Amino acid sequence: MKLLQLILNILWVVFCGFWMALGYLLAAIICFVLIVTIPFGIASLRLAGYVLWPFGRTTVERPDAGAPSCVGNVIWLVFAGWWLALGHLLTSIPLFVSIIGIPFGWANLKLIPISLMPLGREVVPSDQPFGAR
């Protein structure tokens, strides 16, 4: 299974992961420059790593996330989340058209909710195959 995850991750990086990770990195840099938004920058960097190498990992809700995460997600959604979600959507279109890229297009669409509301979530290793969730 680890070999399959490696192959899927390499193909993912080539076809869409690299560009989407750059989008998250750009959002992180902007958040770090604005200083007040450093927590958003940290979340964006965490997601950049996940978007770059997603197979074999998943995100789960943090049990200690509360109202500040909810408020932060609203702010993130307005200023950066919808741009990243649009990037995932636009990246998925050519993948769906190419037929062989349909699984990667679907994976891109599954990343949209995480790109819209990243706070209060953490990236963890997954012991289940990607399609079994």
Side-chain angles (χ1 to χ4, degrees):
M1 197 60 167
K2 297 287 183 185
L3 178 62
L4 179 60
Q5 289 174 354
L6 176 67
I7 292 168
L8 288 172
N9 278 320
I10 290 170
L11 290 172
W12 175 266
V13 167
V14 170
F15 290 116
C16 56
F18 180 73
W19 301 110
M20 288 308 304
L22 285 179
Y24 283 92
L25 184 62
L26 176 64
I29 290 170
I30 292 170
C31 289
F32 287 138
V33 167
L34 297 175
I35 299 189
V36 175
T37 55
I38 287 176
F40 298 106
I42 293 169
S44 186
L45 281 181
R46 184 177 59 244
L47 288 179
Y50 178 59
V51 168
L52 187 63
W53 205 257
F55 295 98
R57 300 189 295 168
T58 190
T59 61
V60 294
E61 290 185 28
R62 292 180 49 198
D64 60 341
S69 291
C70 183
V71 172
N73 277 329
V74 171
I75 294 168
W76 173 265
L77 175 68
V78 170
F79 291 105
W82 74 275
W83 284 103
L84 295 168
L86 183 64
H88 282 294
L89 182 65
L90 293 176
T91 303
S92 70
I93 293 170
L95 291 168
F96 280 120
V97 170
S98 71
I99 296 176
I100 198 165
I102 289 174
F104 294 122
W106 189 248
N108 247 317
L109 293 181
K110 286 183 175 183
L111 289 170
I112 289 176
I114 299 164
S115 69
L116 290 173
M117 298 191 181
L119 300 175
R121 300 192 68 83
E122 63 180 318
V123 178
V124 296
S126 172
D127 55 352
Q128 297 177 345
F130 186 72
R133 286 181 232 130

